[in-house]
Amino acid sequence: MLKRREDLLLKRLNKKLKYQISEPSSNKNDLKVIFLLHGYGSNDEDLFSLKDFIPSNYIIISLRAPISMGFNSYAWYSINFEKNFDRWINNDEAINSKDIIISDILLHLKDFGLENKRISLLGFSQGAILSWCLGLEYPQLIKNILPLSGFYNSEITNCNFNSKFKLNCYASHGIKDDIIPIEWARNSIQLLNKDKINLMFKEYDSGHEINHENLIDIIDWLKKN
């Protein structure tokens, strides 16, 4: 028992991001891995609340963003709400967070002996923006992305359209979203190379949130992909 605790502690110390993890209660033949990226000002416990809905053959790992905002709130990069859209995010912090996420994902897969496994990545808001980035840059590692209430930001994305792998994407947005306007999601999707992406984009009568109808569609999509 002590050896196991020591091993678990070492695994956590090797990673830069704190996290929550849920493993299948029994061995599954079709084991899959999904990583969750929360939104600005939230934490790793937020999306981890979805664990009871995600199919039981998934290892679920919810990552905590590296920038502390105090009061158990975290961000993947800073936002200046007083600036214009073109300059409203800290690109250097966003790129740094991308690098840390990929590094930690690889370490988690190594822990489970799943180095050759392509994963799923679900992100909300700021986490959705990074999900777009990471999926388009690392399709050899990321099979599925589920960017929810976010948008594709070309300024912080180096698209890898030369990869032989095709990315599966379920994106969704609320038509009443007053945090990230739905037009940002619609317009950014038009910029994408659809030949390299199997894309499903759905809109819901909701705000900046994951409503019940959206959740049902997310789980159904995961089961099929």
Side-chain angles (χ1 to χ4, degrees):
M1 180 64 72
L2 181 59
K3 180 65 166 58
R4 175 172 170 76
R5 288 179 180 175
E6 290 176 347
D7 289 343
L8 290 173
L9 178 60
L10 284 174
K11 287 179 180 180
R12 287 189 176 270
L13 290 175
N14 287 337
K15 301 174 183 69
K16 292 185 177 180
L17 301 176
K18 295 186 181 299
Y19 59 92
Q20 305 282 341
I21 186 167
S22 175
E23 301 178 40
S25 57
S26 59
N27 294 330
K28 302 287 182 178
N29 293 327
D30 185 26
L31 190 63
K32 298 182 179 181
V33 187
I34 186 168
F35 289 83
L36 312 179
L37 305 180
H38 64 77
Y40 180 84
S42 186
N43 57 56
D44 48 315
E45 297 176 359
D46 185 11
L47 292 176
F48 195 60
S49 62
L50 300 177
K51 66 181 184 300
D52 293 333
F53 302 97
I54 293 173
S56 61
N57 61 321
Y58 274 87
I59 298 171
I60 304 163
I61 303 173
S62 182
L63 302 177
R64 180 192 296 177
I67 301 172
S68 175
M69 302 169 61
F71 304 103
N72 203 26
S73 299
Y74 299 87
W76 298 103
Y77 50 82
S78 302
I79 296 176
N80 188 333
F81 293 99
E82 296 180 358
K83 291 189 175 183
N84 295 329
F85 168 68
D86 291 340
R87 303 190 305 276
W88 80 311
I89 77 168
N90 187 314
N91 285 351
D92 291 338
E93 289 179 350
I95 292 169
N96 183 60
S97 282
K98 287 195 307 175
D99 292 342
I100 293 173
I101 291 168
I102 286 297
S103 175
D104 274 19
I105 284 176
L106 292 173
L107 288 172
H108 280 290
L109 292 179
K110 184 177 180 180
D111 288 345
F112 287 101
L114 298 172
E115 292 94 332
N116 297 320
K117 194 80 168 179
R118 293 178 73 204
I119 65 154
S120 295
L121 188 61
L122 182 153
F124 179 79
S125 193
Q126 195 177 72
I129 296 170
L130 292 185
S131 295
W132 273 117
C133 297
L134 294 167
L136 291 166
E137 290 186 29
Y138 299 95
Q140 74 279 11
L141 172 64
I142 301 170
K143 178 183 178 183
N144 304 317
I145 60 169
L146 298 92
L148 314 174
S149 299
F151 63 96
Y152 160 60
N153 187 337
S154 60
E155 286 192 359
I156 56 173
T157 308
N158 296 313
C159 294
N160 182 8
F161 289 134
N162 293 322
S163 172
K164 66 179 181 179
F165 296 97
K166 197 163 186 176
L167 181 68
N168 298 322
C169 174
Y170 171 94
S172 68
H173 216 99
I175 61 176
K176 298 175 181 176
D177 193 328
D178 59 355
I179 305 297
I180 297 180
I182 193 169
E183 287 77 15
W184 292 11
R186 291 170 177 166
N187 294 339
S188 66
I189 284 175
Q190 297 303 315
L191 303 174
L192 294 168
N193 183 347
K194 306 303 190 301
D195 292 336
K196 288 293 184 177
I197 306 172
N198 295 316
L199 174 64
M200 175 181 287
F201 177 60
K202 302 195 72 172
E203 300 179 2
Y204 296 88
D205 186 22
S206 64
H208 197 65
E209 61 185 338
I210 304 172
N211 68 8
H212 182 67
E213 182 184 2
N214 192 359
L215 178 58
I216 291 174
D217 289 342
I218 289 167
I219 302 309
D220 183 60
W221 189 89
L222 275 176
K223 289 177 178 178
K224 295 175 181 177
N225 289 277

